[in-house]
Amino acid sequence: MSSEFSSNGAQSHEFDCEDPGNASIRSSAERKALTDRFSRGNRGANNNHGMEFDGNEKRVHGAGKKSGPLLSGTAYCISSCSMILLNKVVLSGYNFNAGISLMFYQNLISSLVVILLGFSGAVSVEKLNSKLIRVWIPVNVIFVGMLVSGMYSLKYINIAMVTILKNVTNILTAIGELYLFRKHQNQKVWTAMFLMIISAISGGITDLSFDAAGYAWQILNCVLTASYSLILRRVMDEAKKGTRSGSLNEASMVLLNNLLSLPFAIFLILLFGEWEYVINADVTKLPMFWVVATASGLLGLTISFTSIWFLHQTGPTTYSLVGSLNKIPISIAGLVLFKVPLSLSNSFSILFGLFAGVFFARAKMS
């Protein structure tokens, strides 16, 4: 699975994320304005009670505000780190050479879980119809390509270099925003992107375990990831028109991405003959392999929901910054656990790239 996107298409960290909670934030703001007007009108009549109520409400609400971002942020970081490491174990540790089949299995698990949650009433899921599916197909094709390229890049490149090379996604997204949405970035953002380019080039040159195929897959992944985020913004409004409620929540998008990816995955598995490999491979006969593969599929779904939870608790800027900081422990863990050969220059390039990513997130905040 791509390290920046779960199998559910949750945007994790780098480029701007449209806050799914904007509508609810606006509604809360409107309710607060009405409450303030009402309380001002009645303050003279009941000032003491108002002060007591406000104090209690602030204490309760303040406690929730303090714990919410911490819990959601911790859950998001743990699930994100675990997902990447488990995928690396499946693809490299078990030497599993069927990335498309792994994607199919993970997306199948996610689809089944969301459907079960929908039936139980735990989440609200839009009913799929031909119009909605037709609108979503272009996004889903890119989504599948993004996941497949992410799988193969993670197989051939160490986690730290994958993380650094993913910074290229930020640059492509910023250029796309400039031409498609006329969104101009400030000087700090462009400086950060220039530093990320330097770190990616120097990291590749000094990479002792350099693999040309892996780097090609990762560059393709960056192009597809940037395309996914840009096209998703255009498709969202059109997709909402194809729903009965006139809106499209996160659970529905998770189901759309995963369920629609299954036919494409089956086609690619048959096209590249992966089914023969999966049937005959010794690794698929190991129970522990399926435990790890299943866990990675469940974690993919967990990332989707924890990222949404964290985004609602904080906002796009904090979400982006924490996502950038989260790359540091992921990279260190990947280097240590998989015993990646390093040189001093390559170590410096990796650290330089990680902090360039943090600088980029802070520049976007400004």
Side-chain angles (χ1 to χ4, degrees):
M1 199 67 54
S2 163
S3 61
E4 299 306 317
F5 275 77
S6 70
S7 63
N8 313 291
Q11 277 176 273
S12 88
H13 332 320
E14 292 309 320
F15 37 81
D16 282 342
C17 297
E18 298 297 330
D19 188 353
N22 279 341
S24 61
I25 291 169
R26 284 197 299 271
S27 299
S28 299
E30 289 166 3
R31 285 195 297 272
K32 188 176 185 303
L34 288 170
T35 304
D36 288 345
R37 284 200 295 272
F38 177 79
S39 61
R40 280 197 297 270
N42 291 278
R43 193 169 292 156
N46 200 9
N47 191 46
N48 291 335
H49 291 293
M51 287 176 66
E52 184 180 352
F53 175 77
D54 286 347
N56 291 335
E57 184 182 18
K58 282 178 182 177
R59 279 196 295 273
V60 173
H61 192 58
K65 275 192 171 182
K66 287 179 182 177
S67 61
L70 180 62
L71 288 174
S72 59
T74 303
Y76 163 66
C77 290
I78 291 173
S79 59
S80 178
C81 289
S82 302
M83 174 72 179
I84 296 165
L85 294 173
L86 277 180
N87 273 338
K88 185 68 176 175
V89 168
V90 174
L91 294 166
S92 297
Y94 283 99
N95 198 27
F96 187 64
N97 294 316
I100 302 170
S101 299
L102 179 60
M103 179 201 73
F104 172 81
Y105 182 65
Q106 291 176 337
N107 290 5
L108 178 62
I109 290 172
S110 297
S111 300
L112 292 174
V113 172
V114 174
I115 290 170
L116 288 173
L117 290 173
F119 277 129
S120 66
V123 297
S124 175
V125 179
E126 286 287 339
K127 289 185 178 180
L128 305 186
N129 57 65
S130 58
K131 183 178 179 182
L132 180 58
I133 291 171
R134 191 166 57 249
V135 170
W136 205 262
I137 286 292
V139 175
N140 198 254
V141 170
I142 298 173
F143 174 72
V144 171
M146 181 183 74
L147 293 186
V148 171
S149 58
M151 287 283 189
Y152 283 106
S153 68
L154 195 59
K155 177 173 176 58
Y156 296 114
I157 311 177
N158 68 73
I159 291 174
M161 281 310 305
V162 166
T163 303
I164 299 308
L165 291 170
K166 275 191 169 296
N167 284 333
V168 176
T169 302
N170 300 330
I171 301 162
L172 297 175
T173 304
I175 294 170
E177 286 177 334
L178 178 62
Y179 285 99
L180 294 176
F181 305 108
R182 297 291 182 264
K183 182 177 179 180
H184 294 271
Q185 308 293 345
N186 61 44
Q187 192 62 43
K188 288 182 180 179
V189 171
W190 289 112
T191 302
M193 288 193 286
F194 177 70
L195 295 176
M196 289 190 290
I197 291 172
I198 293 175
S199 70
I201 294 172
S202 61
I205 292 172
T206 57
D207 187 3
L208 297 179
S209 56
F210 179 86
D211 188 290
Y215 273 72
W217 278 115
Q218 185 52 52
I219 299 243
L220 176 61
N221 179 259
C222 291
V223 173
L224 291 171
T225 303
S227 302
Y228 177 83
S229 68
L230 294 168
I231 292 174
L232 183 63
R233 297 180 195 186
R234 286 181 172 268
V235 169
M236 278 294 296
D237 291 335
E238 192 64 30
K240 289 175 183 177
K241 296 175 186 177
T243 62
R244 188 171 296 177
S245 64
S247 63
L248 193 64
N249 62 22
E250 291 80 11
S252 300
M253 285 191 281
V254 169
L255 182 60
L256 266 173
N257 269 336
N258 285 279
L259 200 58
L260 293 184
S261 71
L262 299 181
F264 289 113
I266 292 171
F267 172 75
L268 291 173
I269 288 168
L270 295 173
L271 180 66
F272 292 105
E274 274 195 7
W275 64 276
E276 292 182 18
Y277 168 81
V278 172
I279 291 171
N280 298 315
D282 292 333
V283 70
T284 58
K285 298 175 178 64
L286 300 175
M288 197 59 200
F289 168 81
W290 290 106
V291 170
V292 176
T294 303
S296 68
L298 293 173
L299 276 171
L301 189 61
T302 304
I303 292 173
S304 181
F305 287 108
T306 55
S307 63
I308 292 164
W309 179 26
F310 185 42
L311 187 57
H312 280 188
Q313 289 288 330
T314 54
T317 50
T318 304
Y319 178 72
S320 180
L321 182 59
V322 170
S324 295
L325 291 170
N326 194 35
K327 286 180 171 183
I328 297 173
I330 290 173
S331 298
I332 294 171
L335 293 172
V336 173
L337 292 175
F338 297 97
K339 300 177 182 177
V340 177
L342 284 173
S343 63
L344 183 62
S345 55
N346 188 237
S347 301
F348 179 76
S349 297
I350 290 169
L351 287 173
F352 185 73
L354 290 171
F355 285 105
V358 175
F359 180 59
F360 173 83
R362 288 187 62 84
K364 292 285 280 185
M365 290 173 71
S366 65

